[in-house]
Amino acid sequence: MDPLSLYASYVAMSRYSNNLLLVANNLKEHLSYLGADDVRHLMKCLEGIPKPSPTIKHDMIMAISYQLNGTCLKELWEKLTDLHQLAVSEALYDSDLQLHEERFHARYGEPASVPSIRSTSMNNPLRFFLYTGSKHSYNAEFIPMDLAEHLRSFVSAPPEVTLKVVEELPDSVDRKKQGSSSLDQEPEFDRAELHSCDMERAAQRDLHKVLNLVDQGRVTVSAKTRRPSAATLKRIAEELVGGDFFEHGCRNSSGQSIGVMRAFAWPMLLQAGKLVQLNGSKLALKKSGRTALRTAAAETLKFLWLEWIDNGVLDEFSRIEEIKGQQSRSRHKKPMTATFDRRIALENALSECPVGKWVHTAEFSRFMRADGYDFEVTNDPWRLYICEIGYGNLGYEDNYGWNILQERYLLCFLFEYAATLGIIDVAYTHPDNARPDFTCMWGTGDMLFLSRYDGLEYIRLTPLGAYCLGLTEDYELQQPEDCTPIRVLPNLDLYAEEPMSDNELLTLENWATKVSDGIWHLDLAKSVTAIEGGQSVDVLRTFLAARNDQSIPVKVEGFLKNAERGVGALKERGRVLLVECCSEEIANRLATEKQTSRLCQPIGKRLLAVKEKSEASFRKVVRELGFGMAQ
């Protein structure tokens, strides 16, 4: 049969077989997007096409389609390198039959390097599997559907993405010296000390500390932005277990502000969880906030985590102040994407982390990209910039990338919010020179870091984090394994014969006040607060019994029983609004008037107490009577 008759038979077969028509049309559709010269070049590189070769584009496409849907396909597959076989496998088992270049690079450490149709490399068969430029995406590489059906018969799925863990933290990490990147010399490095923080216990203690500060009226925020004031940041930082990661007002040698993280996060988290409300410029506890003081901290922390994921009270990326333009106004859509999608991606990626194992943040970032947990931070990078909107614009290709936007957001989310809630433990250094990947950008010559979070090196998912992420159904705070000998004295003093571990100190701080090095005194107010917060006296009894070689003194037992008994002595029955009348006559009228007497109670001569649930009704009735309440 002559070649023209052969190609005519291909067409006839495709017309009378619905399946073959579907298969052929998928490949032909991809080939039809190519120019005639590209199709001709592709055909010449394919072996087995009868001579004379067709010259019309339609016939050339039919010839290529017939060859690639036959036995030739497996022969071409076997000629691929291992890396290119992985590229085909990744695209083949993608839901859109698409090769994601960035995901592939993150997964295997090098690009797929798909050759163009006109590539002069005659021995690279990858061009017959992946086609650039389709109706779905101009720059993406796709596998046509008909090829995919044939390929799945002998191409296995790609290996699963694995997350590498670190068994033991180093004491320090390398930091390249500033100004040591000259081309004519090797870069010089310093060693930066690595600080690790166990946040599981600290978060549960911090929660009640901050709630108590709110209850005392000591947390002030901006009525417009809801962000805490400088005085509030300092006040909260002083109350946190072990202090904040960095001191309030801390700046580096270039004048860049590092500042606090946990102290900033707590007021925002409480507002997102609606445990507090704004009264003027101060936060006040709502009924749910008072309930949280009496509820096990783990339950409240889980609630706050879930509320934060879904709440838009703050875009964490706004805390990266070096990147400007985030609040720019335009007729078009906002420059920043919705926070919900970003947080969900990070939450899902965190759920893949093993509990109790350290993971380097660079590895976590790579894992997210490799396993498809990617997200966008901005809708329009051209509206973001560093220093100056012209030269420092992030829309330029060299300035815009995952490491500048997504990875910085990732570090902020983990360091300032996930760690604050006890979801993860963290290990970090000073941010100076920690991530110099931004130093090639215009206007960054005097900057030592792009964000205050650049020093975050390792994270570790905690049992509390697993509970908050829904990986476990129950949670119980583990008691410290350390067992420093403690003498329990009848005068309520506790004498530690050796320095106690951080975990032991966190437990003891709930019940006792430090007198001097190694000496603590059981504090009644602290003990009552701990019991109100849901902690059991048995926890302290077990803690002391394990470290004291004698029985607990009778006076100490009496102290514990009194604290436990004292917690139940009072019960909160609601809050009241205290109203002062300008005269005794008005106070007596409101206290005896049929419409208002059921809504208030007289206190003294000119004061009325109105229950919180009756406040709205009381205000409405007194207005009808011609009275108003001035602020």
Side-chain angles (χ1 to χ4, degrees):
M1 185 180 293
D2 63 280
L4 290 180
S5 300
L6 180 63
Y7 295 135
S9 67
Y10 298 162
V11 177
M13 288 172 60
S14 65
R15 287 175 180 170
Y16 292 103
S17 171
N18 291 333
N19 290 335
L20 187 56
L21 179 63
L22 177 63
V23 170
N25 279 345
N26 280 288
L27 178 56
K28 288 189 298 183
E29 184 180 15
H30 281 269
L31 293 174
S32 66
Y33 291 116
L34 305 176
D37 290 340
D38 291 335
V39 175
R40 183 178 296 108
H41 184 84
L42 190 63
M43 184 188 65
K44 289 180 180 180
C45 298
L46 192 62
E47 301 175 359
I49 294 181
K51 304 296 183 179
S53 301
T55 57
I56 299 174
K57 181 179 177 180
H58 174 269
D59 294 338
M60 291 189 291
I61 289 175
M62 290 302 302
I64 295 172
S65 176
Y66 181 80
Q67 289 291 322
L68 294 183
N69 285 319
T71 58
C72 174
L73 190 63
K74 189 168 185 179
E75 294 175 1
L76 289 171
W77 162 260
E78 292 171 348
K79 293 179 181 179
L80 293 175
T81 65
D82 291 343
L83 187 67
H84 285 168
Q85 286 186 352
L86 288 171
V88 174
S89 179
E90 287 285 346
L92 180 63
Y93 288 91
D94 179 72
S95 59
D96 295 323
L97 296 177
Q98 178 180 336
L99 176 65
H100 301 273
E101 286 280 5
E102 290 189 358
R103 188 180 302 174
F104 185 88
H105 196 173
R107 189 166 186 178
Y108 301 106
E110 52 185 311
S113 302
V114 179
S116 67
I117 295 298
R118 292 186 177 184
S119 172
T120 57
S121 176
M122 302 293 289
N123 60 351
N124 194 333
L126 185 59
R127 75 184 87 193
F128 297 110
F129 296 89
L130 298 169
Y131 294 82
T132 304
S134 74
K135 65 179 181 181
H136 301 288
S137 175
Y138 181 76
N139 293 318
E141 281 84 25
F142 288 85
I143 296 179
M145 292 180 63
D146 53 341
L147 291 184
E149 291 182 14
H150 289 287
L151 284 170
R152 286 196 183 97
S153 65
F154 58 86
V155 177
S156 58
E160 292 187 3
V161 181
T162 57
L163 181 66
K164 300 175 184 176
V165 300
V166 176
E167 295 297 333
E168 187 175 350
L169 285 178
D171 295 327
S172 59
V173 294
D174 283 333
R175 287 285 179 266
K176 188 166 67 172
K177 288 185 178 180
Q178 189 178 15
S180 67
S181 57
S182 177
L183 296 177
D184 58 350
Q185 63 178 6
E186 291 290 330
E188 299 179 7
F189 293 90
D190 283 330
R191 297 295 292 177
E193 183 181 359
L194 194 65
H195 305 277
S196 63
C197 290
D198 295 335
M199 299 304 301
E200 182 178 15
R201 290 175 175 276
Q204 298 180 60
R205 179 78 173 118
D206 291 345
L207 171 64
H208 290 121
K209 283 273 192 178
V210 178
L211 286 173
N212 281 319
L213 285 177
V214 173
D215 196 30
Q216 297 164 15
R218 302 177 66 192
V219 177
T220 304
V221 301
S222 166
K224 182 178 180 180
T225 66
R226 301 297 180 93
R227 297 190 175 202
S229 66
T232 294
L233 292 176
K234 184 178 180 181
R235 186 174 299 122
I236 294 177
E238 291 172 350
E239 293 292 327
L240 299 176
V241 174
D244 215 313
F245 299 127
F246 298 99
E247 294 181 3
H248 176 67
C250 179
R251 292 180 178 271
N252 64 13
S253 59
S254 293
Q256 291 179 278
S257 175
I258 302 174
V260 296
M261 298 182 197
R262 292 155 61 196
F264 178 89
W266 274 118
M268 307 309 297
L269 289 165
L270 295 181
Q271 291 178 84
K274 298 180 176 59
L275 299 184
V276 297
Q277 62 187 7
L278 188 62
N279 284 349
S281 62
K282 296 182 182 296
L283 293 182
L285 289 183
K286 298 174 71 173
K287 184 177 181 180
S288 55
R290 296 189 172 280
T291 302
L293 275 173
R294 302 188 297 270
T295 306
E299 297 300 324
T300 304
L301 292 171
K302 181 177 182 178
F303 169 78
L304 289 176
W305 170 260
L306 296 175
E307 289 297 307
W308 183 257
I309 295 296
D310 197 35
N311 193 282
V313 68
L314 176 79
D315 182 346
E316 300 93 339
F317 198 83
S318 65
R319 291 278 285 157
I320 304 175
E321 294 98 349
E322 299 291 358
I323 296 181
K324 315 295 184 183
Q326 300 181 42
Q327 303 298 324
S328 61
R329 299 289 182 181
S330 172
R331 295 180 182 178
H332 305 291
K333 55 187 176 183
K334 298 178 180 179
M336 310 307 290
T337 60
T339 55
F340 177 77
D341 294 335
R342 306 183 218 155
R343 294 168 182 169
I344 284 293
L346 281 160
E347 182 183 46
N348 291 337
L350 276 175
S351 299
E352 299 289 341
C353 294
V355 177
K357 298 291 185 180
W358 288 103
V359 177
H360 199 285
T361 50
E363 168 62 12
F364 183 73
S365 177
R366 181 205 68 81
F367 173 78
M368 287 193 67
R369 300 179 72 185
D371 212 24
Y373 295 114
D374 42 10
F375 58 91
E376 295 295 335
V377 170
T378 177
N379 295 309
D380 186 1
W382 287 101
R383 290 162 69 182
L384 304 180
Y385 62 93
I386 294 176
C387 296
E388 195 268 335
I389 196 169
Y391 293 106
N393 200 291
L394 295 190
Y396 294 117
E397 185 176 355
D398 293 341
N399 292 350
Y400 174 56
W402 174 278
N403 62 315
I404 299 298
L405 294 178
Q406 285 93 330
E407 192 161 276
R408 257 52 183 211
Y409 176 81
L410 175 154
L411 295 173
C412 174
F413 180 86
L414 295 176
F415 209 174
E416 194 161 83
Y417 301 93
T420 296
L421 289 173
I423 306 296
I424 57 172
D425 298 327
V426 292
Y428 64 96
T429 68
H430 196 280
D432 286 357
N433 302 315
R435 296 175 187 270
D437 53 354
F438 67 93
T439 54
C440 61
M441 300 167 63
W442 189 90
T444 61
D446 295 332
M447 294 167 52
L448 297 180
F449 59 76
L450 186 59
S451 82
R452 60 172 58 86
Y453 316 102
D454 281 6
L456 181 60
E457 290 286 331
Y458 297 90
I459 61 173
R460 179 174 62 185
L461 184 64
T462 65
L464 173 61
Y467 176 66
C468 293
L469 293 172
L471 303 179
T472 56
E473 295 183 0
D474 301 307
Y475 171 76
E476 182 178 353
L477 181 64
Q478 298 296 317
Q479 293 302 313
E481 295 181 359
D482 309 287
C483 200
T484 303
I486 295 177
R487 281 193 290 163
V488 183
L489 305 179
N491 64 354
L492 307 184
D493 280 347
L494 308 176
Y495 175 66
E497 299 178 2
E498 301 173 4
M500 286 187 285
S501 68
D502 291 340
N503 284 335
E504 289 177 309
L505 290 174
L506 286 174
T507 300
L508 197 56
E509 281 180 348
N510 292 329
W511 308 89
T513 302
K514 187 175 181 179
V515 178
S516 60
D517 289 343
I519 300 178
W520 296 72
H521 185 78
L522 289 173
D523 187 285
L524 184 59
K526 278 193 169 187
S527 300
V528 170
T529 301
I531 299 171
E532 282 182 330
Q535 298 191 50
S536 171
V537 171
D538 291 335
V539 172
L540 180 60
R541 285 196 182 98
T542 303
F543 178 86
L544 296 177
R547 290 159 178 79
N548 184 35
D549 55 2
Q550 298 180 0
S551 59
I552 296 178
V554 176
K555 289 188 176 181
V556 174
E557 278 288 356
F559 169 86
L560 298 178
K561 290 179 180 178
N562 288 336
E564 197 168 26
R565 191 182 305 117
V567 171
L570 305 175
K571 291 185 178 180
E572 184 177 310
R573 292 301 187 188
R575 299 173 69 80
V576 298
L577 173 69
L578 191 62
V579 178
E580 182 181 8
C581 302
C582 63
S583 66
E584 293 183 26
E585 290 77 15
I586 293 177
N588 290 332
R589 179 182 174 184
L590 294 178
T592 57
E593 189 80 31
K594 181 179 180 181
Q595 295 172 287
T596 54
S597 60
R598 60 186 177 83
L599 302 174
C600 63
Q601 293 290 333
I603 302 177
K605 295 181 179 180
R606 293 194 301 154
L607 296 178
L608 299 174
V610 182
K611 290 183 179 181
E612 188 176 33
K613 66 179 181 180
S614 304
E615 181 180 345
S617 299
F618 180 80
R619 288 179 181 272
K620 180 180 179 180
V621 171
V622 295
R623 289 190 187 108
E624 293 173 353
L625 295 175
F627 303 119
M629 287 191 287
Q631 295 293 328

